[in-house]
C-alpha cells in the first residue's frame, strides 16, 4: 500500500476519500506545489468536490448502522457528571447548536473561537461549526487573557464560546472572567466580538454557593448557553447544513513558531478529513462500532482535534473526553477509565507517562486493562526508559506502541508504526505513513542524506493533511516552511536520525521552539512577555532537559540599571514578577523555571544572541563552549556563569 500511495498518489487518496461522503470526487482534481521557485506554494486536494466533516462524523455513521453505538463518552472531573452520547444523540445536540449559531448570525466562513474546558459543549460546538461551514478556532483554556485576545483578534472572531468556569482536580478556574479581560483587550485594540456564549458549568460551588452568581455577565453581548439553546431543541425545524468545497477552511488552530506571534494554521475540509480518517483507521486499527479511543490530549491542541474528536468519529468509533487531571483522585484514574469504558486504544504524551511513572506500578496494576489493544504516544521524543515502562507496565509486555511523530501543520500522523505490521524499536517513530516521503537534509548545505545519518527532517511530497496556509500571512507560510531549503521541501523544524535499518528516531527541535510538557512554546513569545515588565530591558530564554516536563525554561534578563535593584530582596521580587508576567501574557505552562538576572547577554558582533552558549550555561555544562570567536565580548560568559550560580 505504501508503494502505491507514492506512485499513484492522487488516485490512492481519492479512493480513501471515497470511503467518506464527497460529491464530485475526481482524482485529477488535486493540484499541489511545494517548490516556491515554481510559483506560489499551494496544496489543493479534491478541489471542486463537496463535503461536510460533521456530516461524515454523524449522519454518515448513522447511515452505516452506528446510530445507537456510543460516540462520545464524557468522563467528568467528578463521578456524578459523567455522560455518554450515541451517534444519534450527539447529532441532536449538534443540530440544536447549529440552529442556535445560525439564529445568532454565524454564517459559512465566520470564525468562532472556543475557550472551553474538556466538557461535551466543546466537541458539540466544534461539530456544529463544521456542520454550518463556520471556522472554529479552539484556544486551549490554559492560555491567558492576552493570548486569547491575540488569537480572537487575529482571526476576527464573530463569536466566542466559553464556560462560567472549569475545574481541574480540586481547582476552579474562572474562565468567563478571563474571557471578559480578553474582550477588554480586544476592544482597546479596536476589535469587538458580537457575542459571547457562556456554558453554565453547573456543579461548581464555592463555599456551598453555586458560583454562577459571581459570573460577570454583560447582557448586551453575553448569552447563557443553557437558556438560549434550549428553544432550538424542540422547534421541530430541520437543522441547516452546508456542504463545502474540499479546499474550504475547516478550522484555524494557533501554534507557536520560532519567531513572531503565534501562527494560525489553516486546515482544509476535504484533505484534513481524509488524512485524519486514514491515519486513525490504520495507525489505531479502528473498527466502526467496536473501538473506543481514549486520547488524553486537550481538544485545544491538534492531537485533540484529530484523534480526540474527528478521527474516531469519522471511523464510527467512540471517543473518551476526559475532563480532569491524570493524578486525581489518584494516579490510577486513567487506567480505571480504560476499564470503565472498555477502551481499546490509548493515546497520550511522554510527559504524562513520566509523571505517572513517578507513582510506580501500583496504580496501573490495580486495573485490568484487558480491553486495550494499542498504545500510542505523541508530542515529544520518548526516551527508551519511558517507552519500555509504557510497553511492559501499561502494556503488560504485549501491546504495540505507536510513537507517532507529527505536527499541528501536518494535520495527522506522519512518521509512525502500523501496529502489528511494523516491528518496533524502543523510542523510534519507525517509518513514514502512506503517501509520506520524508528526507533528512544536511543542515549545512541542504543536500539529502542517504542511508544512515542525522539531519533536518523535511517532507518532499504533499499529503492531504498538509495545512493550506498561515491565516492572513501567506508569505510567512512560504518563508517558514518552504524557503528554508531549496528544492521543494516542507521544513518541519525537527531533527531526526536514521539507523542502518532505516528506522527514524526524532531528536527534537532544531529551531527556537521549545517543548515543555508537550506544549510548543516559541523563545520569542516568552522573551516578549518578559520585556513587557517595566524593569526588563532585554531577555533571552533557552530550554534545558527536565526529568518530567521534557524541557523547562530558563530566562536570562537584563534589568534597567536606572532602577535600584542591587539588594537581594529586590532581585527576588523582580524574578517573581517576571515569572508572573509570563504567566499573565501567555499562560502558566510557559512560566520559566528560573530567571537569571545578568548584566549582558552573549551576542555576536552583529547583535545576535548566541543561545547555544546560554543553553550550555543553563545546563551546567560550562567546560567547553566550542567556537566562541563570533562573540562581541567573550567576557560576558564568565559573568553569566557567576550570575547563574548565584541564582540557583
Ligand atoms: C502533534 C503535535 C509538534 C512538535 C514537533 C516535535 C514534537 C510531536 C513527536 C514529537 C518526537 C514524537 N513531537 N510528536 N517529537 N516524537 N512522536 O504534538 O503537534 O503541538 O504542533 O507539536 O512536537 O518537535 O515538531 P504540535
Amino acid at each position: 500500500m505504501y508503494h502505491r500511495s507514492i506512485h499513484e498518489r492522487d488516485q490512492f487518496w481519492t479512493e480513501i476519500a471515497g470511503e467518506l461522503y464527497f460529491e464530485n470526487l475526481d482524482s485529477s482534481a488535486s493540484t499541489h506545489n511545494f517548490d516556491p521557485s515554481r510559483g506560489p506554494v499551494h496544496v489543493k486536494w479534491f478541489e471542486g468536490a463537496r463535503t461536510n466533516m460533521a456530516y461524515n462524523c454523524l449522519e454518515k455513521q448513522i447511515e452505516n448502522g452506528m446510530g445507537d453505538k456510543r460516540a462520545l463518552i464524557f468522563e467528568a472531573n467528578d463521578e456524578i457528571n459523567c455522560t455518554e452520547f450515541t451517534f444519534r444523540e450527539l447529532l441532536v445536540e449538534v443540530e440544536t447548536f447549529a440552529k442556535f449559531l445560525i439564529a445568532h448570525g454565524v454564517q459559512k466562513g465566520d470564525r468562532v473561537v472556543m475557550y472551553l474546558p474538556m466538557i461535551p459543549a466543546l466537541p458539540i460546538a466544534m461539530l456544529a461549526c463544521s456542520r454550518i461551514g463556520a471556522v472554529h478556532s479552539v484556544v486551549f483554556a490554559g492560555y491567558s487573557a492576552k493570548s486569547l485576545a491575540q488569537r480572537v483578534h487575529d482571526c476576527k472572531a464573530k463569536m466566542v464560546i466559553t464556560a462560567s468556569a472549569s475545574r481541574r482536580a480540586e481547582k476552579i478556574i474562572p474562565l468567563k472572567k478571563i474571557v471578559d479581560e480578553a474582550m477588554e483587550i480586544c476592544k482597546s485594540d479596536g476589535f469587538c466580538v458580537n457575542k459571547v456564549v457562556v456554558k453554565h458549568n453547573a456543579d461548581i460551588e464555592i463555599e456551598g454557593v453555586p458560583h454562577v452568581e459571581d459570573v460577570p455577565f454583560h447582557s448586551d453581548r453575553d448569552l447563557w448557553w443553557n437558556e438560549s439553546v434550549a428553544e432550538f431543541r424542540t422547534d421541530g425545524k430541520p437543522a441547516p447544513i452546508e456542504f463545502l468545497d474540499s479546499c474550504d477552511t475547516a478550522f484555524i488552530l494557533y501554534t507557536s513558531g520560532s519567531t513572531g506571534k503565534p501562527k494560525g494554521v489553516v486546515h482544509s475540509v476535504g484533505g484534513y478529513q481524509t488524512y485524519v480518517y486514514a491515519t486513525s483507521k490504520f495507525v489505531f486499527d479502528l473498527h466502526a462500532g467496536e473501538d473506543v479511543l481514549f486520547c488524553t490530549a486537550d481538544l485545544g491542541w491538534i492531537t485533540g482535534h484529530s484523534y480526540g474528536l474527528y478521527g474516531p468519529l469519522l471511523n464510527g468509533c467512540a471517543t473518551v473526553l476526559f475532563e480532569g487531571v491524570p493524578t486525581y483522585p489518584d494516579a490510577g484514574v486513567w487506567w480505571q477509565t480504560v476499564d470503565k469504558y472498555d477502551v481499546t486504544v490509548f493515546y497520550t504524551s511522554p510527559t504524562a507517562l513520566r509523571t505517572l511513572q513517578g507513582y510506580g506500578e501500583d496504580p496501573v496494576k490495580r486495573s485490568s486493562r484487558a480491553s486495550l489493544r494499542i498504545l500510542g504516544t505523541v508530542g515529544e521524543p520518548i526516551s527508551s526508559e519511558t517507552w519500555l515502562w509504557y510497553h511492559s507496565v501499561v502494556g503488560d509486555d504485549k501491546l504495540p506502541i505507536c510513537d507517532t511523530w507529527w505536527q499541528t501543520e501536518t494535520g495527522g500522523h506522519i512518521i509512525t508504526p502500523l501496529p502489528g505490521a511494523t516491528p518496533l524499536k524502543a523510542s523510534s517513530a519507525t517509518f513514514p505513513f502512506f503517501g509520506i516521503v520524508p528526507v533528512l537534509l544536511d543542515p549545512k548545505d541542504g543536500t539529502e542524506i542517504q542511508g544512515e545519518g542525522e539531519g533536518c527532517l523535511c517532507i518532499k511530497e504533499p499529503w492531504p493533511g498538509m495545512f493550506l496556509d498561515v491565516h492572513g500571512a501567506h508569505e510567512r507560510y512560504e518563508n517558514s516552511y518552504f524557503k528554508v531549503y531549496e528544492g521543494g521541501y516542507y521544513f518541519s523544524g525537527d531533527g531526526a536520525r536514521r539507523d542502518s535499518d532505516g528506522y527514524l528516531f526524532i531528536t527534537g527541535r532544531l529551531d527556537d521552539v521549545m517543548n515543555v510538557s508537550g506544549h510548543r512554546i516559541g523563545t520569542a513569545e516568552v522573551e516578549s512577555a518578559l520585556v513587557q515588565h517595566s524593569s526588563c530591558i532585554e531577555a533571552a530564554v533557552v530550554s534545558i532537559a527536565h526529568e518530567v516536563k521534557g524541557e523547562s525554561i530558563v530566562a536570562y534578563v537584563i534589568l534597567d540599571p536606572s532602577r535600584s535593584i542591587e539588594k537581594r530582596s529586590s532581585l527576588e521580587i523582580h524574578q517573581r514578577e517576571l515569572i508572573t508576567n509570563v504567566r499573565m501574557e501567555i499562560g502558566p505552562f510557559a512560566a520559566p523555571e528560573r530567571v537569571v538576572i545578568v548584566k549582558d547577554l552573549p551576542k555576536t558582533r552583529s547583535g545576535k544572541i548566541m543561545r547555544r552558549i546560554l543553553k550550555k550555561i543553563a545546563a551546567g555544562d560550562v567546560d567547553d563552549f566550542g567556537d566562541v570567536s563570533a562573540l562581541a565580548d567573550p567576557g560576558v560568559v564568565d559573568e553569566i556563569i557567576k550570575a547563574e550560580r548565584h541564582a540557583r
Side-chain angles (χ1 to χ4, degrees):
M1 265 178 89
Y2 179 75
H3 187 263
R4 186 160 174 252
S5 74
I6 303 300
H7 296 282
E8 291 168 42
R9 184 186 61 200
D10 293 355
Q11 180 63 33
F12 175 89
W13 287 116
T14 309
E15 280 171 27
I16 299 224
E19 294 176 21
L20 299 166
Y21 181 78
F22 274 82
E23 288 162 17
N24 304 329
L25 204 53
D26 170 2
S27 64
S28 62
S30 298
T31 56
H32 323 282
N33 175 38
F34 261 27
D35 188 351
S37 71
R38 293 195 189 153
V41 173
H42 68 271
V43 183
K44 291 198 164 143
W45 287 93
F46 324 124
E47 204 176 5
R50 300 192 83 72
T51 185
N52 182 289
M53 189 145 67
Y55 180 87
N56 276 318
C57 284
L58 300 168
E59 277 101 324
K60 167 93 180 152
Q61 305 307 327
I62 295 169
E63 227 173 76
N64 290 350
M66 298 301 137
D68 297 324
K69 297 278 185 185
R70 296 180 296 178
L72 179 67
I73 298 169
F74 176 49
E75 175 64 15
N77 192 61
D78 35 68
E79 195 74 24
I80 42 171
N81 288 310
C82 300
T83 40
E84 295 183 18
F85 300 81
T86 63
F87 280 91
R88 225 185 290 281
E89 287 164 345
L90 187 56
L91 175 61
V92 171
E93 300 300 322
V94 170
E95 285 183 330
T96 305
F97 199 68
K99 287 193 259 183
F100 163 85
L101 288 174
I102 296 278
H104 286 281
V106 178
Q107 293 172 351
K108 176 187 165 188
D110 286 343
R111 271 82 55 214
V112 176
V113 164
M114 285 117 197
Y115 186 72
L116 279 162
M118 289 282 279
I119 55 175
L122 179 50
I124 289 167
M126 289 167 79
L127 287 164
C129 282
S130 292
R131 182 176 173 96
I132 63 165
V135 174
H136 61 65
S137 186
V138 184
V139 177
F140 170 59
Y143 275 112
S144 66
K146 281 210 173 168
S147 292
L148 172 61
Q150 191 180 38
R151 287 157 174 77
V152 166
H153 192 169
D154 187 80
C155 75
K156 308 255 176 342
K158 201 166 198 179
M159 181 185 270
V160 173
I161 305 173
T162 188
S164 46
S166 75
R167 53 201 151 174
R168 294 178 62 75
E170 306 276 342
K171 222 162 97 190
I172 290 170
I173 303 136
L175 291 190
K176 175 57 168 46
K177 234 174 94 203
I178 300 172
V179 169
D180 281 357
E181 270 175 55
M183 296 303 100
E184 283 305 311
I185 298 168
C186 284
K187 213 195 257 169
S188 64
D189 293 339
F191 178 72
C192 279
V193 166
N194 293 3
K195 289 276 171 245
V196 173
V197 181
V198 192
K199 177 78 191 170
H200 179 190
N201 223 1
D203 296 285
I204 300 173
E205 294 190 353
I206 297 173
E207 289 166 0
V209 181
H211 93 292
V212 69
E213 326 250 296
D214 302 333
V215 176
F217 196 81
H218 305 269
S219 49
D220 50 337
R221 183 199 67 194
D222 299 348
L223 291 164
W224 283 111
W225 170 310
N226 301 49
E227 291 158 22
S228 334
V229 175
E231 60 178 287
F232 299 96
R233 180 180 295 273
T234 48
D235 65 0
K237 294 191 187 133
I241 182 159
E242 187 87 42
F243 284 86
L244 304 167
D245 187 281
S246 175
C247 298
D248 279 342
T249 300
F251 62 84
I252 300 172
L253 185 58
Y254 286 86
T255 190
S256 296
S258 54
T259 54
K261 55 177 194 170
K263 296 181 271 208
V265 168
V266 177
H267 276 290
S268 71
V269 174
Y272 171 82
Q273 175 178 197
T274 302
Y275 198 66
V276 161
Y277 164 72
T279 47
S280 310
K281 172 173 169 161
F282 293 112
V283 177
F284 294 142
D285 187 33
L286 296 185
H287 295 268
E290 289 175 24
D291 282 291
V292 180
L293 206 162
F294 179 7
C295 166
T296 67
D298 193 283
L299 286 178
W301 308 118
I302 191 71
T303 305
H305 280 55
S306 300
Y307 303 107
L309 181 64
Y310 291 118
L313 295 189
L314 287 169
N315 279 282
C317 293
T319 181
V320 176
L321 187 69
F322 185 88
E323 184 184 22
V325 298
T327 49
Y328 177 83
D330 61 58
V333 64
W334 277 356
W335 320 120
Q336 298 304 326
T337 304
V338 165
D339 282 358
K340 183 170 169 188
Y341 301 114
D342 291 326
V343 169
T344 58
V345 182
F346 180 76
Y347 192 35
T348 195
S349 66
T351 198
L353 292 171
R354 288 190 299 265
T355 304
L356 295 178
Q357 230 178 320
Y359 288 84
E361 295 187 10
D362 253 25
V364 188
K365 297 298 178 194
R366 272 190 273 121
S367 64
S368 91
R369 287 157 287 108
S371 52
L372 279 180
R373 294 195 297 119
I374 293 165
L375 302 175
T377 159
V378 60
E380 19 156 4
I382 181 165
S383 68
S384 30
E385 192 209 342
T386 303
W387 194 99
L388 289 168
W389 186 83
Y390 199 20
H391 181 66
S392 64
V393 179
V394 179
D396 288 327
D397 286 315
K398 58 176 200 271
L399 299 186
I401 295 182
C402 294
D403 175 5
T404 60
W405 176 84
W406 59 293
Q407 307 177 298
T408 305
E409 294 87 338
T410 71
H413 305 143
I414 294 288
I415 315 274
T416 174
L418 297 181
T422 311
L424 303 175
K425 285 195 187 188
S427 46
S428 172
T430 75
F431 302 110
F433 187 71
F434 301 128
I436 301 295
V437 184
V439 290
L440 299 183
L441 297 187
D442 184 325
K444 282 188 226 84
D445 57 15
T447 54
E448 287 187 24
I449 296 168
Q450 307 294 340
E452 225 177 316
E454 189 167 334
C456 190
L457 179 57
C458 293
I459 305 168
K460 225 161 137 171
E461 300 282 336
W463 66 98
M466 173 64 193
F467 72 132
L468 299 193
D469 212 347
V470 173
H471 180 67
H474 188 74
E475 213 171 295
R476 200 170 169 199
Y477 178 68
E478 296 210 348
N479 291 342
S480 318
Y481 297 100
F482 300 97
K483 289 189 177 163
V484 183
Y485 292 107
E486 276 176 26
Y489 298 103
Y490 165 78
F491 170 79
S492 73
D494 278 298
R497 175 170 66 81
R498 196 192 287 118
D499 75 4
S500 54
D501 298 324
Y503 281 71
L504 288 165
F505 294 77
I506 311 298
T507 53
R509 298 293 300 200
L510 298 172
D511 55 9
D512 291 329
V513 173
M514 302 174 290
N515 191 327
V516 180
S517 300
H519 300 323
R520 245 171 98 164
I521 306 165
T523 49
E525 284 171 86
V526 180
E527 286 162 5
S528 114
L530 288 164
V531 297
Q532 299 285 317
H533 190 287
S534 57
S535 300
C536 181
I537 300 184
E538 208 179 344
V541 309
V542 293
S543 62
I544 53 170
H546 186 279
E547 233 176 86
V548 175
K549 297 195 242 173
E551 288 177 24
S552 68
I553 301 175
V554 180
Y556 294 88
V557 302
I558 305 176
L559 294 182
D560 185 345
S562 68
R563 295 175 177 249
S564 73
I565 46 171
E566 289 307 319
K567 281 207 299 262
R568 194 179 164 90
S569 61
S570 152
L571 280 177
E572 278 167 10
I573 292 169
H574 272 92
Q575 283 164 326
R576 264 206 309 273
E577 281 181 12
L578 284 160
I579 292 175
T580 307
N581 248 47
V582 179
R583 297 174 72 95
M584 304 291 286
E585 292 281 325
I586 307 174
F589 60 89
E593 180 125 314
R594 220 167 49 233
V595 172
V596 184
I597 292 167
V598 294
K599 293 210 168 60
D600 210 348
L601 291 167
K603 285 188 189 159
T604 61
R605 280 180 206 88
S606 58
K608 227 174 148 305
I609 294 168
M610 289 179 79
R611 278 209 183 70
R612 175 173 70 76
I613 292 181
L614 289 176
K615 236 177 141 82
K616 286 198 146 217
I617 298 175
D621 174 15
V622 295
D623 294 335
D624 179 16
F625 289 106
D627 181 11
V628 291
S629 58
L631 271 182
D633 173 11
V636 300
V637 176
D638 281 339
E639 266 202 56
I640 297 172
I641 295 174
K642 261 192 242 149
E644 171 78 46
R645 291 209 176 110
H646 198 63
R648 282 189 195 197

